[in-house]
């Protein structure tokens, strides 16, 4: 799990759109001697915001990284008080925590990709509310924390649910995680959990949102007789299955497919959509635009 052979800095920025932003930004990078490897831009006509992602070669800039951050902070101020930006050293891999329940196909896929170094991240902990994931996690050499939640008919359900999420936050904080992935974690997260992780809490929903939100979407799809099923990778907000969408895909199905067939076929597309969405997030390709996400390819 070594660092990339060519160290790169990734800059992302959004601000109120105006004339001359690209010229100002490229002039600043040119003054640093930056060798631009990738450059993406988007001007949104609805929100009147400008978005950019720039990747530069670290070896082309003869400035310590923290000094570079300070210089860019001063420069970014010219774009107004609402400017949002981030400068990331790609040699520093993202620390990721994974939450999972009993459906383990997405967990299998993510851990396999992590072991093969296909994703620029370090899995720092896996938390499950069932023990079914423990053997898989241990076999891949990662840390597993079992954290049961009370059943819904338990008289202490509300208290136990709140305590469970408090404990998850403690475990995540102790792990140093910077991003949380819900790999089919079948619990509705409270607002107090979602808000601090805005833009860093990723879920895979087994439906092509906004269709069939909530539980049992494959059953809902079967009842409606749909001819396409899909999966959606999105950021989690306090509104159920309504956060900014990062990645989606669909698969054609037939009237002859049973609910079990839809579930089996859907698992394949869930794996791929989560992996693609997670990679976009890790590579700083996703910028938030209110309830929407700008995703640079």
């Amino acid at each position: 799990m070594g660092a990339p052979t060519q160290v790169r800095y990734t800059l992302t920025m959004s601000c109120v759109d105006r004339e001359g932003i690209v010229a100002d930004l490229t002039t600043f990078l040119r003054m640093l001697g930056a060798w631009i490897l990738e450059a993406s831009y988007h001007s949104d006509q609805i929100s009147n915001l400008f978005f950019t992602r720039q990747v530069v070669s670290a070896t082309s800039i003869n400035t310590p990284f923290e000094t570079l951050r300070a210089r860019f902070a001063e420069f970014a101020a010219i774009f107004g008080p609402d400017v949002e930006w981030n400068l990331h050293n790609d040699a520093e891999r993202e620390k990721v925590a994974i939450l999972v329940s009993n459906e383990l196909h997405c967990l299998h896929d993510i851990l396999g990709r992590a072991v093969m170094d296909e994703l620029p991240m370090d899995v720092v902990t896996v938390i499950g509310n069932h023990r079914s994931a423990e053997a898989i996690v241990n076999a891949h050499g990662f840390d597993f924390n079992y954290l049961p939640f009370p059943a819904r008919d338990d008289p202490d359900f509300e208290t136990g649910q709140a305590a469970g999420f408090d404990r998850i936050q403690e475990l995540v904080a102790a792990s140093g995680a910077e991003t949380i992935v819900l790999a089919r974690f079948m619990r509705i997260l409270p607002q107090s959990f979602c808000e601090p992780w805005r833009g860093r809490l990723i879920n895979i929903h087994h439906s092509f949102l906004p269709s069939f939100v909530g539980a049992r979407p494959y059953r809902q799809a079967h009842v409606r007789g749909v001819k396409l099923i899909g999966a959606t990778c999105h950021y989690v907000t306090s509104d159920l299955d309504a956060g900014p969408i990062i990645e989606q895909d669909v698969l054609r199905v037939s009237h002859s497919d049973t609910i079990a067939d839809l579930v089996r076929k859907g698992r394949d597309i869930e794996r791929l959509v989560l992996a693609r969405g997670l990679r976009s997030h890790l590579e700083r390709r996703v910028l938030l635009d209110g309830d929407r996400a700008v995703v640079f390819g």
Side-chain angles (χ1 to χ4, degrees), residues 203 205 207-214 230-234 240-243 245 248:
N203 183 49
H205 183 72
S207 171
F208 192 81
L209 293 175
S211 301
F212 308 131
V213 301
T232 303
C233 178
H234 66 97
L240 181 63
D241 297 331
I245 292 171
Q248 291 182 297

Side-chain angles (χ1 to χ4, degrees), residues 23 49 65 108 114 120 145 232 241 267:
L49 293 178
F65 183 72
H108 271 285
N145 287 281
T232 303
D241 297 331
R267 285 172 177 159

Side-chain angles (χ1 to χ4, degrees), residues 35-280:
W35 178 8
I36 300 175
L37 303 174
E38 296 181 40
S40 302
Y41 308 96
H42 174 63
S43 179
D44 192 89
Q45 301 303 304
I46 298 175
S47 62
N48 193 37
L49 293 178
F50 172 85
F51 301 86
T52 186
R53 175 181 181 270
Q54 307 276 326
V55 180
V56 302
S57 171
T59 57
S60 68
I61 301 176
N62 189 26
T63 303
F65 183 72
E66 291 306 320
T67 303
L68 179 61
R69 284 184 59 88
R71 290 185 61 179
F72 190 83
E74 294 177 0
F75 165 74
I78 71 172
F79 300 115
D82 295 326
V83 63
E84 295 185 4
W85 64 274
N86 180 264
L87 182 63
H88 182 259
N89 184 343
D90 291 359
E92 298 176 358
R93 295 162 63 89
E94 189 86 352
K95 297 179 176 64
V96 175
I98 302 173
L99 274 57
V100 66
S101 292
N102 257 332
E103 293 280 348
L104 305 181
H105 52 287
C106 287
L107 178 69
H108 271 285
D109 187 72
I110 293 175
L111 295 184
R113 293 176 190 272
V115 168
M116 292 186 292
D117 204 22
E118 289 187 2
L119 293 168
M121 68 179 192
D122 291 328
V123 177
V124 291
T125 189
V126 180
I127 303 169
N129 61 324
H130 296 275
R131 286 201 176 277
S132 52
E134 187 169 13
I136 298 164
V137 176
N138 290 340
H140 283 88
F142 297 109
D143 174 55
F144 180 78
N145 287 281
Y146 170 56
L147 184 61
F149 276 71
R152 296 192 180 278
D153 58 358
D154 190 312
D156 296 322
F157 173 76
E158 294 295 337
T159 302
Q161 178 98 331
F165 281 113
D166 286 345
R167 180 57 180 153
I168 288 177
Q169 296 199 63
E170 291 173 1
L171 291 169
V172 169
S175 74
E178 301 158 294
T179 290
I180 301 175
V181 176
L182 308 182
R184 296 299 303 274
F185 182 65
M186 307 306 289
R187 291 281 168 169
I188 298 176
L189 276 61
Q191 182 176 0
S192 60
F193 192 104
C194 298
E195 289 303 324
W197 289 92
R198 176 181 178 271
R200 298 182 296 146
L201 181 56
I202 298 172
N203 183 49
I204 181 67
H205 183 72
H206 41 312
S207 171
F208 192 81
L209 293 175
S211 301
F212 308 131
V213 301
R216 308 179 81 180
Y218 290 125
R219 179 175 292 277
Q220 296 179 57
H222 188 264
V223 169
R224 289 298 307 274
V226 302
K227 301 302 180 279
L228 293 171
I229 59 171
T232 303
C233 178
H234 66 97
Y235 289 120
V236 177
T237 65
S238 55
D239 295 325
L240 181 63
D241 297 331
I245 292 171
I246 306 170
E247 179 66 50
Q248 291 182 297
D249 208 343
V250 294
L251 179 71
R252 181 164 292 279
V253 294
S254 162
H255 61 273
S256 63
D257 285 319
T258 65
I259 295 174
D261 292 330
L262 298 188
V263 171
R264 173 178 53 80
K265 293 179 178 181
R267 285 172 177 159
D268 289 339
I269 201 163
E270 290 167 36
R271 295 181 183 99
L272 292 174
V273 168
L274 179 56
R276 293 202 300 255
L278 179 55
R279 173 173 289 281
S280 292

